Amino acid sequence: MLAGKDFSFKSDGLLEFGPGIIAPEPDVRRLEDALPVLYAPSVTPSDRPLYYMYRGVCFAQDKEIFDKNDIRYDITVILPGTIEGEYIKTVGHFHPLKPHSSETYPEYYEVLEGEALYLLQKNNRSGDVEEIIAVEAKKGDKVYIPPGYGHVTINPGNTSLVMANLVESNFSSLYGPFRDKRGAAYYYIQGQGAKGEFVKNSHYQNSVALKLMAAPNLLQPTAAVKNKSLYEAFVADPEAFRFLK
């Protein structure tokens, strides 16, 4: 299985993988890339790194399994910190429709190190929010992004968040819906106490209450992940993850 023991930090946000692991150079998202979705109305652009995405990570002996099933295993590292009070987050995206289907591609996440807030958002046809859920997740928790939901991941902690995901390998994500509204329907900013607080995004015309959930209370789309990591479960039984395609 691919787990925390199979990688280490060689510098802030950059990982060094163990022997036998295929890992490409990471794609880097920087502050200048996140400007269209930030809470603060004006932030000075810079090349400050916010997160790193390693796409298509696997042990060499498992590569054929992933390729044959058109499934990709990625690892993302989101650095800790804030941008003018807002906790560092991904820019967020939606997924396109599956071919010959009215259903969009789902995605499956697991926290490997640190803690995460996953914002799952469903929009109506006008691009306004219909439902939004904030899922609190810690190391070992798995979070399924169902069809129809866009998502943003926030690092609310003071250490790097390392998370993995399983996803169909051929589609391209849709960034426009969040960019057009300057982010998800809620921002997560520094609060008065130890925790942050959610603030509504005024660029949405309607107002929808935020649902807060803990990852262990979520239903899992397959029993294959019980007592196993996403990586271990997929390699052992790829057919159990056909719902991703």
Side-chain angles (χ1 to χ4, degrees), residues 28-107:
V28 186
R29 290 290 181 270
R30 303 181 183 277
L31 177 57
E32 58 194 10
D33 301 315
L35 293 178
V37 297
L38 295 180
Y39 170 70
S42 59
V43 176
T44 303
S46 79
D47 63 355
R48 171 189 173 185
L50 303 181
Y51 57 101
Y52 300 86
M53 298 173 290
Y54 297 83
R55 293 192 173 102
V57 179
C58 66
F59 283 103
Q61 68 265 26
D62 299 329
K63 187 176 187 303
E64 184 177 353
I65 298 174
F66 286 94
D67 290 347
K68 179 180 177 181
N69 290 277
D70 291 324
I71 296 295
R72 200 177 68 227
Y73 181 87
D74 305 331
I75 292 179
T76 299
V77 181
I78 305 179
L79 298 175
T82 59
I83 302 167
E84 295 196 16
E86 181 181 12
Y87 287 91
I88 292 177
K89 64 184 180 184
T90 61
V91 296
H93 62 262
F94 283 76
H95 296 166
L97 293 172
K98 298 178 181 180
H100 315 295
S101 173
S102 59
E103 187 177 84
T104 65
Y105 288 97
E107 193 164 359

Coordinates of all heavy atoms in Angstrom, one line a residue, residues 28-107:
V28 N 2.3 23.0 -9.6 CA 2.3 23.9 -8.5 C 1.2 25.0 -8.7 O 1.1 25.6 -9.8 CB 3.6 24.6 -8.3 CG1 3.6 25.5 -7.0 CG2 4.8 23.6 -8.3
R29 N 0.3 25.2 -7.7 CA -0.6 26.3 -7.7 C -0.1 27.4 -6.8 O 0.2 27.1 -5.7 CB -2.0 25.8 -7.3 CG -2.7 24.9 -8.2 CD -3.1 25.7 -9.5 NE -3.8 24.8 -10.4 CZ -3.2 24.1 -11.4 NH1 -1.9 24.1 -11.5 NH2 -3.9 23.3 -12.2
R30 N 0.0 28.6 -7.4 CA 0.6 29.7 -6.7 C -0.5 30.8 -6.3 O -1.6 30.7 -6.8 CB 1.7 30.3 -7.5 CG 2.8 29.3 -7.8 CD 3.9 29.9 -8.6 NE 4.9 28.9 -9.0 CZ 5.9 28.4 -8.2 NH1 6.0 28.9 -7.0 NH2 6.7 27.5 -8.6
L31 N -0.1 31.7 -5.5 CA -1.0 32.8 -5.1 C -1.6 33.4 -6.3 O -2.9 33.7 -6.3 CB -0.3 33.8 -4.2 CG -1.1 35.0 -3.8 CD1 -2.4 34.5 -3.0 CD2 -0.3 35.9 -2.9
E32 N -0.9 33.7 -7.3 CA -1.4 34.4 -8.5 C -2.5 33.6 -9.2 O -3.4 34.1 -9.8 CB -0.3 34.7 -9.5 CG 0.5 33.5 -10.0 CD 1.8 33.9 -10.6 OE1 2.2 35.1 -10.6 OE2 2.4 33.0 -11.2
D33 N -2.4 32.2 -9.1 CA -3.4 31.4 -9.7 C -4.8 31.4 -8.9 O -5.8 31.1 -9.5 CB -2.9 29.9 -9.7 CG -1.7 29.7 -10.5 OD1 -1.6 30.3 -11.6 OD2 -0.7 29.0 -10.0
A34 N -4.7 31.7 -7.6 CA -5.9 31.7 -6.8 C -6.6 33.0 -6.7 O -7.7 33.1 -6.1 CB -5.5 31.2 -5.3
L35 N -6.0 34.1 -7.2 CA -6.6 35.4 -7.1 C -8.1 35.5 -7.4 O -8.8 36.2 -6.7 CB -5.8 36.4 -7.9 CG -4.4 36.7 -7.5 CD1 -3.7 37.7 -8.5 CD2 -4.3 37.3 -6.1
P36 N -8.6 34.8 -8.5 CA -10.0 35.0 -8.8 C -11.0 34.4 -7.8 O -12.2 34.6 -7.9 CB -10.1 34.2 -10.2 CG -8.7 34.2 -10.7 CD -7.8 34.1 -9.5
V37 N -10.5 33.6 -6.8 CA -11.4 32.9 -5.9 C -11.2 33.2 -4.5 O -11.8 32.6 -3.6 CB -11.4 31.4 -6.1 CG1 -11.8 31.0 -7.5 CG2 -10.0 30.8 -5.8
L38 N -10.4 34.3 -4.2 CA -10.1 34.6 -2.8 C -11.1 35.5 -2.2 O -11.8 36.3 -2.8 CB -8.7 35.3 -2.8 CG -7.5 34.5 -3.2 CD1 -6.3 35.3 -3.1 CD2 -7.4 33.2 -2.3
Y39 N -11.2 35.4 -0.8 CA -12.1 36.2 0.0 C -11.7 37.7 -0.1 O -12.6 38.6 -0.3 CB -12.1 35.7 1.4 CG -12.8 36.6 2.4 CD1 -14.1 36.7 2.4 CD2 -12.0 37.3 3.4 CE1 -14.8 37.5 3.4 CE2 -12.6 38.1 4.3 CZ -14.0 38.3 4.3 OH -14.7 39.0 5.2
A40 N -10.5 38.0 0.0 CA -10.0 39.4 0.0 C -10.2 40.0 -1.5 O -9.8 39.3 -2.4 CB -8.5 39.5 0.4
P41 N -10.8 41.1 -1.6 CA -11.1 41.7 -2.9 C -9.9 42.0 -3.7 O -9.9 42.0 -5.0 CB -11.9 42.9 -2.6 CG -11.5 43.3 -1.2 CD -11.2 42.0 -0.5
S42 N -8.8 42.4 -3.1 CA -7.5 42.7 -3.8 C -6.3 42.2 -3.0 O -6.1 42.6 -1.9 CB -7.4 44.2 -4.0 OG -7.4 44.9 -2.8
V43 N -5.6 41.3 -3.7 CA -4.4 40.7 -3.1 C -3.3 40.9 -4.1 O -3.5 40.7 -5.3 CB -4.6 39.2 -2.8 CG1 -3.3 38.6 -2.3 CG2 -5.7 39.0 -1.8
T44 N -2.1 41.3 -3.6 CA -1.0 41.5 -4.5 C -0.5 40.2 -5.1 O -0.2 39.2 -4.3 CB 0.2 42.1 -3.7 OG1 -0.3 43.4 -3.1 CG2 1.4 42.4 -4.6
P45 N -0.5 40.1 -6.4 CA -0.1 38.8 -7.0 C 1.4 38.5 -6.6 O 2.2 39.4 -6.4 CB -0.2 39.1 -8.5 CG -1.1 40.3 -8.6 CD -0.9 41.1 -7.4
S46 N 1.7 37.2 -6.5 CA 3.0 36.7 -6.2 C 3.1 35.3 -6.7 O 2.1 34.6 -6.9 CB 3.4 36.9 -4.8 OG 2.9 35.8 -4.0
D47 N 4.3 34.8 -6.7 CA 4.5 33.3 -7.1 C 4.6 32.5 -5.8 O 5.1 31.3 -5.9 CB 5.8 33.2 -7.9 CG 7.1 33.6 -7.2 OD1 7.0 34.1 -6.1 OD2 8.1 33.4 -7.8
R48 N 4.1 33.0 -4.7 CA 4.1 32.2 -3.5 C 3.3 30.8 -3.7 O 2.2 30.8 -4.1 CB 3.3 32.9 -2.4 CG 3.1 32.2 -1.1 CD 2.1 33.0 -0.2 NE 1.7 32.2 1.0 CZ 0.8 32.7 1.9 NH1 0.3 33.9 1.7 NH2 0.4 31.9 2.9
P49 N 4.0 29.7 -3.4 CA 3.3 28.4 -3.6 C 2.2 28.2 -2.6 O 2.4 28.5 -1.4 CB 4.4 27.4 -3.5 CG 5.5 28.0 -2.7 CD 5.4 29.5 -3.0
L50 N 1.1 27.6 -3.0 CA 0.0 27.3 -2.1 C -0.2 25.8 -2.0 O -0.4 25.3 -0.9 CB -1.3 27.9 -2.6 CG -1.3 29.5 -2.8 CD1 -2.7 29.9 -3.2 CD2 -0.9 30.2 -1.5
Y51 N -0.1 25.1 -3.1 CA -0.2 23.6 -3.0 C 0.5 23.0 -4.2 O 0.7 23.6 -5.2 CB -1.6 23.2 -2.8 CG -2.7 23.6 -3.9 CD1 -3.1 22.7 -4.9 CD2 -3.3 24.8 -3.8 CE1 -4.0 23.1 -5.8 CE2 -4.3 25.2 -4.7 CZ -4.6 24.3 -5.7 OH -5.6 24.7 -6.6
Y52 N 0.8 21.7 -4.0 CA 1.5 20.9 -5.0 C 0.6 19.7 -5.3 O 0.1 19.0 -4.4 CB 2.8 20.4 -4.5 CG 3.8 21.6 -4.1 CD1 3.8 22.2 -2.8 CD2 4.7 22.0 -5.0 CE1 4.6 23.2 -2.5 CE2 5.6 23.0 -4.7 CZ 5.6 23.6 -3.4 OH 6.4 24.6 -3.1
M53 N 0.6 19.3 -6.6 CA -0.3 18.2 -7.1 C 0.6 17.2 -7.8 O 1.2 17.5 -8.9 CB -1.4 18.7 -8.0 CG -2.4 19.6 -7.3 SD -3.6 20.3 -8.4 CE -2.5 21.4 -9.4
Y54 N 0.7 16.0 -7.2 CA 1.5 14.9 -7.9 C 0.5 14.0 -8.5 O -0.3 13.3 -7.8 CB 2.3 14.1 -6.8 CG 3.4 15.0 -6.1 CD1 3.1 15.8 -5.0 CD2 4.7 14.9 -6.6 CE1 4.1 16.5 -4.4 CE2 5.7 15.6 -5.9 CZ 5.4 16.4 -4.9 OH 6.3 17.2 -4.2
R55 N 0.4 14.0 -9.8 CA -0.6 13.2 -10.5 C -0.1 11.9 -11.0 O 1.0 11.9 -11.7 CB -1.2 14.1 -11.7 CG -2.0 15.3 -11.2 CD -2.7 15.9 -12.4 NE -3.6 17.0 -12.0 CZ -3.4 18.3 -12.2 NH1 -2.2 18.6 -12.7 NH2 -4.2 19.2 -11.8
G56 N -0.8 10.8 -10.8 CA -0.4 9.5 -11.3 C 0.7 8.9 -10.5 O 1.6 8.3 -11.1
V57 N 0.5 8.9 -9.2 CA 1.5 8.3 -8.3 C 1.2 6.8 -8.1 O 0.0 6.4 -7.9 CB 1.5 9.0 -6.9 CG1 2.5 8.3 -6.0 CG2 1.8 10.5 -7.1
C58 N 2.1 5.9 -8.2 CA 1.9 4.5 -7.9 C 3.2 3.7 -7.8 O 4.2 4.2 -8.2 CB 1.0 3.9 -9.0 SG 1.8 3.8 -10.6
F59 N 3.1 2.6 -7.2 CA 4.3 1.6 -7.3 C 4.4 1.1 -8.7 O 3.4 0.9 -9.4 CB 4.1 0.5 -6.3 CG 4.3 0.8 -4.9 CD1 3.3 1.0 -4.0 CD2 5.6 0.9 -4.4 CE1 3.5 1.3 -2.6 CE2 5.9 1.3 -3.0 CZ 4.8 1.5 -2.2
A60 N 5.6 0.9 -9.1 CA 5.8 0.5 -10.5 C 5.1 -0.7 -10.9 O 4.5 -0.9 -12.0 CB 7.3 0.3 -10.8
Q61 N 5.0 -1.7 -9.9 CA 4.3 -2.9 -10.2 C 2.8 -2.8 -10.3 O 2.1 -3.7 -10.8 CB 4.7 -4.0 -9.2 CG 4.1 -3.7 -7.8 CD 5.1 -3.0 -6.9 OE1 6.0 -2.3 -7.4 NE2 5.0 -3.2 -5.6
D62 N 2.3 -1.6 -9.9 CA 0.8 -1.4 -9.9 C 0.4 -0.6 -11.1 O -0.8 -0.4 -11.3 CB 0.3 -0.8 -8.6 CG 0.6 -1.6 -7.4 OD1 0.6 -2.8 -7.5 OD2 0.8 -1.0 -6.4
K63 N 1.3 0.0 -11.9 CA 1.0 0.9 -12.9 C 0.0 0.3 -14.0 O -0.9 1.0 -14.4 CB 2.3 1.4 -13.6 CG 2.0 2.5 -14.6 CD 3.3 3.1 -15.2 CE 3.0 4.3 -16.1 NZ 2.1 4.1 -17.2
E64 N 0.2 -0.9 -14.3 CA -0.7 -1.5 -15.3 C -2.1 -1.6 -14.8 O -3.0 -1.4 -15.6 CB -0.2 -2.9 -15.6 CG -1.0 -3.6 -16.7 CD -0.4 -5.0 -17.1 OE1 0.6 -5.4 -16.6 OE2 -1.1 -5.7 -17.9
I65 N -2.3 -1.8 -13.5 CA -3.7 -1.8 -13.0 C -4.4 -0.5 -13.1 O -5.5 -0.4 -13.6 CB -3.6 -2.2 -11.5 CG1 -3.0 -3.6 -11.3 CG2 -5.0 -2.2 -10.8 CD1 -2.8 -4.0 -9.8
F66 N -3.6 0.6 -12.8 CA -4.2 1.9 -13.0 C -4.5 2.2 -14.4 O -5.6 2.7 -14.8 CB -3.3 3.0 -12.3 CG -3.4 3.0 -10.8 CD1 -2.4 2.2 -10.1 CD2 -4.3 3.7 -10.1 CE1 -2.4 2.2 -8.7 CE2 -4.3 3.7 -8.8 CZ -3.4 2.9 -8.0
D67 N -3.5 1.9 -15.3 CA -3.7 2.3 -16.7 C -4.8 1.5 -17.4 O -5.6 2.0 -18.1 CB -2.4 2.0 -17.5 CG -1.2 2.9 -17.1 OD1 -1.5 4.0 -16.5 OD2 -0.1 2.6 -17.4
K68 N -4.9 0.2 -17.0 CA -5.9 -0.6 -17.6 C -7.3 -0.2 -17.2 O -8.3 -0.3 -18.0 CB -5.7 -2.1 -17.1 CG -6.7 -3.1 -17.7 CD -6.4 -4.5 -17.1 CE -7.5 -5.5 -17.6 NZ -7.2 -6.8 -17.0
N69 N -7.5 0.4 -16.1 CA -8.8 0.8 -15.6 C -9.0 2.3 -15.8 O -10.1 2.8 -15.3 CB -8.9 0.5 -14.1 CG -9.0 -1.0 -13.9 OD1 -10.1 -1.6 -14.0 ND2 -7.9 -1.7 -13.6
D70 N -8.1 3.0 -16.4 CA -8.3 4.5 -16.6 C -8.6 5.2 -15.3 O -9.4 6.2 -15.2 CB -9.4 4.8 -17.6 CG -9.0 4.3 -19.0 OD1 -7.8 4.5 -19.4 OD2 -9.9 3.9 -19.7
I71 N -7.9 4.8 -14.2 CA -8.0 5.5 -12.9 C -6.7 6.1 -12.5 O -5.6 5.4 -12.7 CB -8.5 4.5 -11.8 CG1 -9.9 4.1 -12.2 CG2 -8.5 5.2 -10.5 CD1 -11.0 5.1 -12.2
R72 N -6.7 7.2 -11.9 CA -5.4 7.9 -11.5 C -5.4 8.1 -10.0 O -6.5 8.4 -9.4 CB -5.3 9.2 -12.2 CG -3.9 9.8 -12.3 CD -3.9 11.1 -13.1 NE -4.7 12.2 -12.3 CZ -5.6 13.0 -12.8 NH1 -5.9 12.9 -14.1 NH2 -6.2 13.9 -12.1
Y73 N -4.3 7.9 -9.4 CA -4.1 8.1 -8.0 C -3.2 9.3 -7.8 O -2.0 9.3 -8.3 CB -3.5 6.9 -7.3 CG -3.3 7.0 -5.8 CD1 -4.3 6.7 -4.9 CD2 -2.0 7.4 -5.3 CE1 -4.1 6.8 -3.5 CE2 -1.8 7.5 -3.9 CZ -2.9 7.2 -3.0 OH -2.7 7.2 -1.7
D74 N -3.7 10.4 -7.2 CA -2.9 11.6 -7.1 C -2.6 11.9 -5.6 O -3.4 11.5 -4.7 CB -3.7 12.8 -7.6 CG -4.1 12.6 -9.1 OD1 -3.4 11.9 -9.8 OD2 -5.2 13.2 -9.4
I75 N -1.6 12.7 -5.3 CA -1.3 13.2 -4.0 C -1.2 14.7 -4.1 O -0.4 15.2 -4.9 CB -0.1 12.5 -3.4 CG1 -0.3 11.0 -3.1 CG2 0.3 13.2 -2.1 CD1 0.9 10.3 -2.5
T76 N -1.9 15.4 -3.2 CA -1.8 16.8 -3.2 C -1.3 17.3 -1.8 O -1.8 16.7 -0.8 CB -3.2 17.5 -3.4 OG1 -3.6 17.1 -4.7 CG2 -3.2 19.0 -3.4
V77 N -0.4 18.2 -1.8 CA 0.0 18.8 -0.5 C -0.4 20.3 -0.5 O 0.0 21.1 -1.3 CB 1.6 18.7 -0.4 CG1 2.1 19.3 0.9 CG2 2.1 17.3 -0.6
I78 N -1.2 20.6 0.5 CA -1.7 22.0 0.7 C -0.9 22.6 1.9 O -1.0 22.1 3.0 CB -3.2 22.1 0.9 CG1 -3.9 21.4 -0.3 CG2 -3.6 23.6 1.0 CD1 -5.4 21.5 -0.1
L79 N -0.2 23.7 1.7 CA 0.6 24.3 2.7 C -0.3 24.9 3.8 O -1.5 25.3 3.5 CB 1.5 25.3 2.1 CG 2.5 24.7 1.1 CD1 3.4 25.9 0.5 CD2 3.5 23.8 1.8
P80 N 0.2 25.1 5.0 CA -0.6 25.8 6.0 C -0.5 27.3 5.8 O 0.5 27.8 5.2 CB 0.0 25.3 7.3 CG 1.5 25.0 6.9 CD 1.4 24.5 5.5
G81 N -1.4 28.0 6.4 CA -1.2 29.5 6.4 C -2.5 30.1 5.9 O -3.5 29.5 5.7
T82 N -2.5 31.5 5.8 CA -3.6 32.2 5.4 C -3.2 33.3 4.3 O -2.0 33.6 4.2 CB -4.3 33.0 6.6 OG1 -3.3 33.8 7.2 CG2 -4.8 32.0 7.6
I83 N -4.2 33.8 3.6 CA -4.0 34.8 2.7 C -5.0 36.0 3.1 O -6.2 35.8 2.9 CB -4.3 34.4 1.2 CG1 -3.5 33.2 0.8 CG2 -4.2 35.6 0.2 CD1 -3.9 32.5 -0.4
E84 N -4.4 37.0 3.7 CA -5.2 38.1 4.3 C -6.4 37.5 5.1 O -7.5 38.0 5.0 CB -5.7 39.0 3.2 CG -4.5 39.7 2.5 CD -4.9 40.9 1.7 OE1 -6.0 41.4 1.9 OE2 -4.1 41.4 0.9
G85 N -6.1 36.6 5.9 CA -7.1 36.0 6.9 C -7.8 34.8 6.4 O -8.5 34.1 7.2
E86 N -7.7 34.5 5.1 CA -8.4 33.3 4.6 C -7.5 32.1 4.6 O -6.4 32.2 4.1 CB -9.0 33.5 3.2 CG -9.7 32.3 2.6 CD -10.3 32.5 1.2 OE1 -9.9 33.5 0.6 OE2 -11.1 31.7 0.8
Y87 N -7.9 30.9 5.1 CA -7.1 29.8 5.1 C -6.8 29.3 3.7 O -7.7 29.4 2.8 CB -7.7 28.6 5.9 CG -7.7 28.9 7.4 CD1 -8.7 29.5 8.0 CD2 -6.6 28.5 8.2 CE1 -8.7 29.8 9.4 CE2 -6.6 28.7 9.5 CZ -7.6 29.4 10.1 OH -7.6 29.6 11.5
I88 N -5.6 28.8 3.4 CA -5.2 28.3 2.1 C -6.1 27.2 1.6 O -6.4 26.3 2.4 CB -3.7 27.9 2.1 CG1 -2.8 29.2 2.3 CG2 -3.4 27.2 0.8 CD1 -1.4 28.9 2.4
K89 N -6.5 27.3 0.4 CA -7.4 26.3 -0.2 C -7.1 26.1 -1.7 O -6.2 26.8 -2.3 CB -8.9 26.9 -0.2 CG -9.0 28.2 -1.0 CD -10.4 28.8 -0.9 CE -10.5 30.1 -1.8 NZ -11.8 30.7 -1.6
T90 N -7.7 25.0 -2.2 CA -7.5 24.8 -3.7 C -8.5 25.8 -4.4 O -9.4 26.3 -3.8 CB -7.9 23.4 -4.0 OG1 -9.3 23.1 -3.7 CG2 -7.0 22.4 -3.3
V91 N -8.2 26.0 -5.7 CA -9.0 27.0 -6.4 C -10.4 26.4 -6.7 O -11.4 27.1 -6.9 CB -8.4 27.3 -7.8 CG1 -7.1 28.1 -7.5 CG2 -8.1 26.2 -8.7
G92 N -10.6 25.0 -6.6 CA -11.9 24.4 -6.7 C -12.3 24.2 -8.1 O -11.9 24.9 -9.1
H93 N -13.1 23.1 -8.3 CA -13.5 22.8 -9.7 C -14.8 21.9 -9.6 O -15.1 21.3 -8.6 CB -12.4 22.1 -10.5 CG -12.0 20.8 -9.9 ND1 -10.8 20.7 -9.2 CD2 -12.4 19.5 -10.0 CE1 -10.6 19.4 -8.8 NE2 -11.6 18.7 -9.3
F94 N -15.4 21.8 -10.7 CA -16.5 20.8 -11.0 C -16.0 19.8 -12.0 O -14.9 20.0 -12.6 CB -17.8 21.5 -11.5 CG -18.5 22.3 -10.5 CD1 -18.1 23.5 -10.0 CD2 -19.7 21.8 -10.0 CE1 -18.8 24.2 -9.0 CE2 -20.5 22.4 -9.1 CZ -20.0 23.7 -8.6
H95 N -16.8 18.7 -12.2 CA -16.4 17.7 -13.2 C -17.4 17.7 -14.3 O -18.6 18.0 -14.1 CB -16.4 16.3 -12.5 CG -15.3 16.2 -11.5 ND1 -15.3 15.2 -10.6 CD2 -14.2 17.0 -11.2 CE1 -14.2 15.3 -9.8 NE2 -13.6 16.4 -10.1
P96 N -17.0 17.3 -15.5 CA -17.9 17.3 -16.6 C -18.8 16.0 -16.6 O -18.6 15.1 -15.7 CB -17.0 17.2 -17.8 CG -15.8 16.5 -17.3 CD -15.6 16.9 -15.9
L97 N -19.8 16.0 -17.5 CA -20.7 14.8 -17.6 C -19.9 13.6 -18.1 O -19.0 13.8 -19.0 CB -21.9 15.1 -18.5 CG -22.9 16.2 -18.0 CD1 -23.9 16.5 -19.1 CD2 -23.6 15.7 -16.8
K98 N -20.3 12.5 -17.7 CA -19.8 11.2 -18.3 C -20.4 11.1 -19.7 O -21.5 11.6 -20.0 CB -20.2 10.0 -17.5 CG -19.6 10.0 -16.0 CD -20.2 8.8 -15.3 CE -19.7 8.7 -13.9 NZ -20.2 7.5 -13.2
P99 N -19.7 10.4 -20.6 CA -20.2 10.3 -22.0 C -21.6 9.5 -21.9 O -21.7 8.6 -21.2 CB -19.1 9.4 -22.7 CG -17.9 9.7 -21.9 CD -18.3 9.9 -20.5
H100 N -22.5 10.1 -22.7 CA -23.8 9.5 -22.8 C -24.5 9.3 -21.5 O -25.2 8.3 -21.2 CB -23.7 8.1 -23.5 CG -22.8 8.1 -24.7 ND1 -23.1 8.8 -25.9 CD2 -21.6 7.4 -24.9 CE1 -22.1 8.6 -26.7 NE2 -21.2 7.8 -26.2
S101 N -24.3 10.3 -20.6 CA -24.9 10.2 -19.3 C -25.3 11.6 -18.8 O -24.8 12.6 -19.3 CB -23.9 9.6 -18.3 OG -24.3 9.7 -17.0
S102 N -26.2 11.6 -17.9 CA -26.6 12.9 -17.2 C -25.9 13.1 -15.9 O -26.2 14.0 -15.1 CB -28.1 12.9 -17.0 OG -28.6 11.9 -16.2
E103 N -24.9 12.2 -15.6 CA -24.2 12.2 -14.4 C -22.8 12.7 -14.6 O -22.1 12.2 -15.5 CB -24.3 10.8 -13.8 CG -23.7 10.6 -12.4 CD -23.9 9.2 -11.9 OE1 -23.0 8.4 -12.2 OE2 -24.9 8.9 -11.2
T104 N -22.3 13.5 -13.7 CA -20.9 13.9 -13.7 C -20.0 12.9 -13.0 O -20.4 12.1 -12.3 CB -20.7 15.3 -13.1 OG1 -20.9 15.2 -11.7 CG2 -21.6 16.3 -13.7
Y105 N -18.7 13.0 -13.4 CA -17.7 12.1 -12.7 C -17.6 12.4 -11.2 O -17.5 13.6 -10.8 CB -16.3 12.3 -13.4 CG -16.2 11.7 -14.8 CD1 -16.3 12.5 -15.9 CD2 -15.9 10.4 -15.0 CE1 -16.2 12.0 -17.2 CE2 -15.8 9.9 -16.2 CZ -15.9 10.7 -17.3 OH -15.8 10.2 -18.6
P106 N -17.5 11.4 -10.4 CA -17.2 11.6 -9.0 C -15.7 11.6 -8.7 O -14.9 11.4 -9.6 CB -17.9 10.4 -8.3 CG -17.8 9.3 -9.3 CD -17.8 10.0 -10.7
E107 N -15.4 11.7 -7.4 CA -14.0 11.6 -7.0 C -13.9 11.1 -5.6 O -14.9 11.3 -4.8 CB -13.3 13.0 -7.1 CG -11.8 13.0 -7.0 CD -11.2 14.3 -7.6 OE1 -11.9 15.2 -8.0 OE2 -9.9 14.4 -7.5

